[in-house]
Amino acid sequence: MMAPVTDFIATEARLGAQNYQPLGVVLSRGEGVFVWDTEGNRYLDCLSAYSAVNQGHCHPKILAAMIEQAGRLTLTSRAFHNDQLASFYEEIAALTGAHKVLPMNSGAEAVESAIKSVRKWGYEVKGVPDGQAEIIVCADNFHGRTLGIVGFSTDAAARDHFGPFAPGFRIIPFGDASALEAAIAPNTVAFLVEPIQGEAGVVLPPPGYFAKVRELCTAHDVMLILDEIQTGLGRTGRLLAEQHDGIEADVTLLGKALSGGFYPVSAVLSNNAVLGTLKPGQHGSTFGGNPLACAVARAALRVLVEEGMIENAAVQGARLLDGLKRIPTNTIREVRGRGLMLAIELHPEAGDARRYCEALQGQGILAKDTHGHTIRIAPPLVISSDQVDWALQRIEAALRQDFS
Ligand SMILES: *Cc1c(COP(=O)(O)O)cnc(C)c1O
């Protein structure tokens, strides 16, 4: 028998691929907005696993659904029907207005599935010559880590030395509708975009951008694919971020909080035309649509709505944004965001955002830096006003820390 591992960080470094650089904290328990490390220190989680735990850690109702289903039936493959998938379809379609649903597992798989589907739609419905379909994407996008996806990333770290990559993507600036208009060609089948660019540092487009995007896509018969894997399911204070702009995507991608953090569950939601092109044998996933995933996702969606988490995200997000804007420090260049998807951008002279994340850790808050100077603040949607006010005091203390 080997002795149980106690030096978690060193063992990870010795045996694991070093494709992450985590903060020096080892977590062993979570409940609601809080997580605890192996020493018993409590932290307010302001990352929420990149918005996968919108419903809070270990939500008791999702946990109960998972345990109940895990003891009954977990996986059948799609070679047979199971008694959870139909209800999952019904409930997610009723909630989002989708006409067709394709269940997958990770977010990247949902993105890949959407790309495959819109290309097929382009060839079989729009009449694009075979092999010529083009998809327009935005600079500074983040859609996942598969080869297909990193091939159209503009982030050198995500892309360099992983090629060769698949052709068929055209990159335009985010937030620029005239760039979209100029990029649309006869073979354009889709525009794939995040409503708010999360990994890029919570970048919001100018007002009216998505209304114009919707208009252009409709006019040119281009499918609008909104990647709501991070912005969706309440994060921005609405069920879907598209609702802020009063538009409807042709294809919507969900993942992350679709399981409340219990299990990888993602989905492509679409009109009939796009997913309608997929015929038996043309696409699949061993785990996609499995009964355990469906039971977990059904519970995750139910608590999000029934427990008022979406409305709470709007209310607490406004309180947090307002409080962050009032922090008296010249360390902060800008505070921005929508709902509980917020970011603090530091002045470049303030130094690396990571040291502020370490200072936040010392204050009992876990947050993640992105792109050097930005700290994302995205707690679970179950956060209370008192917890927001407590967080604001701690964030202020960390940002006013003197590192000299
Ligand atoms: C996280 C994320 C993905 C990828 O999801 P994975 O489950 O990590 O594959 C795709 N798009 C957006 C906007 C994301 O935030």
Side-chain angles (χ1 to χ4, degrees):
M1 277 288 282
M2 293 184 74
V5 172
T6 50
D7 195 342
F8 304 99
I9 294 175
T11 304
E12 279 190 22
R14 184 164 52 85
L15 291 173
Q18 301 290 293
N19 55 327
Y20 280 91
Q21 192 184 19
L23 281 184
V25 60
V26 181
L27 301 175
S28 58
R29 190 161 74 82
E31 188 185 323
V33 296
F34 295 113
V35 286
W36 285 262
D37 69 14
T38 47
E39 260 108 70
N41 299 306
R42 191 186 78 170
Y43 303 91
L44 178 71
D45 182 359
C46 280
L47 183 64
S48 307
Y50 302 95
S51 296
V53 287
N54 284 359
Q55 297 88 339
H57 288 275
C58 297
H59 192 290
K61 288 185 179 157
I62 311 175
L63 176 65
M66 181 158 185
I67 290 172
E68 198 278 328
Q69 187 62 42
R72 217 152 52 76
L73 184 67
T74 57
L75 184 61
T76 57
S77 86
R78 298 286 304 278
F80 313 112
H81 296 278
N82 72 66
D83 69 358
Q84 291 294 310
L85 184 58
S87 304
F88 170 63
Y89 284 168
E90 285 264 24
E91 290 163 18
I92 197 167
L95 195 59
T96 62
H99 296 117
K100 286 246 179 257
V101 186
L102 171 68
M104 298 296 287
N105 311 285
S106 69
E109 280 182 318
V111 175
E112 290 273 348
S113 303
I115 291 170
K116 288 174 72 176
S117 307
V118 293
R119 282 181 172 174
K120 208 158 194 301
W121 169 84
Y123 301 130
E124 296 177 6
V125 180
K126 188 171 178 177
V128 171
D130 196 37
Q132 302 295 307
E134 257 189 20
I135 295 173
I136 300 171
V137 300
C138 286
D140 301 322
N141 68 72
F142 183 85
H143 297 290
R145 298 292 195 167
T146 59
L147 273 178
I149 293 169
V150 300
F152 58 80
S153 171
T154 58
D155 176 359
R159 185 185 149 92
D160 281 3
H161 295 168
F162 293 122
F165 301 116
F169 299 94
R170 187 185 285 229
I171 300 168
I172 61 169
F174 179 67
D176 181 348
S178 46
L180 176 64
E181 187 162 25
I184 293 174
N187 294 342
T188 304
V189 296
F191 178 43
L192 167 64
V193 62
E194 300 156 82
I196 296 171
Q197 290 190 319
E199 300 308 298
V202 187
V203 179
L204 290 104
Y209 173 63
F210 276 106
K212 186 73 185 144
V213 164
R214 177 66 275 179
E215 209 178 287
L216 288 168
C217 288
T218 303
H220 296 280
D221 204 16
V222 166
M223 292 295 114
L224 173 58
I225 309 173
L226 286 184
D227 180 346
E228 297 240 24
I229 291 168
Q230 192 164 141
T231 55
L233 302 175
R235 175 50 61 187
T236 68
R238 305 294 293 265
L239 177 73
L240 299 174
E242 68 173 18
Q243 294 172 294
H244 292 286
D245 299 286
I247 62 156
E248 276 181 38
D250 300 297
V251 180
T252 300
L253 309 179
L254 294 179
K256 296 205 164 108
L258 189 48
S259 71
F262 279 83
Y263 198 82
V265 185
S266 67
V268 180
L269 311 177
S270 92
N271 55 28
N272 283 313
V274 171
L275 284 178
T277 60
L278 295 178
K279 297 290 178 295
Q282 296 175 346
H283 188 62
S285 163
T286 303
F287 278 81
N290 75 70
L292 184 56
C294 291
V296 166
R298 293 177 63 200
L301 292 173
R302 204 178 316 124
V303 300
L304 196 69
V305 174
E306 284 181 1
E307 298 179 15
M309 293 180 197
I310 304 169
E311 296 78 8
N312 192 57
V315 172
Q316 304 305 342
R319 188 181 185 98
L320 189 49
L321 182 65
D322 184 57
L324 289 172
K325 284 184 169 161
R326 289 167 192 270
I327 291 179
T329 164
N330 44 23
T331 312
I332 299 177
R333 179 188 214 163
E334 187 187 44
V335 177
R336 58 176 176 265
R338 187 167 280 161
L340 282 168
M341 185 170 183
L342 302 170
I344 303 168
E345 189 180 325
L346 305 174
H347 272 294
E349 316 85 76
D352 211 58
R354 187 175 171 101
R355 70 179 187 183
Y356 289 96
C357 290
E358 284 160 2
L360 282 167
Q361 182 189 337
Q363 295 287 337
I365 290 191
L366 294 182
K368 177 73 174 77
D369 54 299
T370 176
H371 294 273
H373 299 295
T374 304
I375 305 169
R376 272 184 290 192
I377 303 290
L381 312 187
V382 295
I383 196 167
S384 67
S385 306
D386 287 349
Q387 289 162 344
V388 165
D389 295 346
W390 178 86
L392 284 166
Q393 287 174 12
R394 296 306 171 113
I395 293 169
E396 176 166 343
L399 290 179
R400 298 182 71 176
Q401 185 161 325
D402 185 0
F403 292 99
S404 54

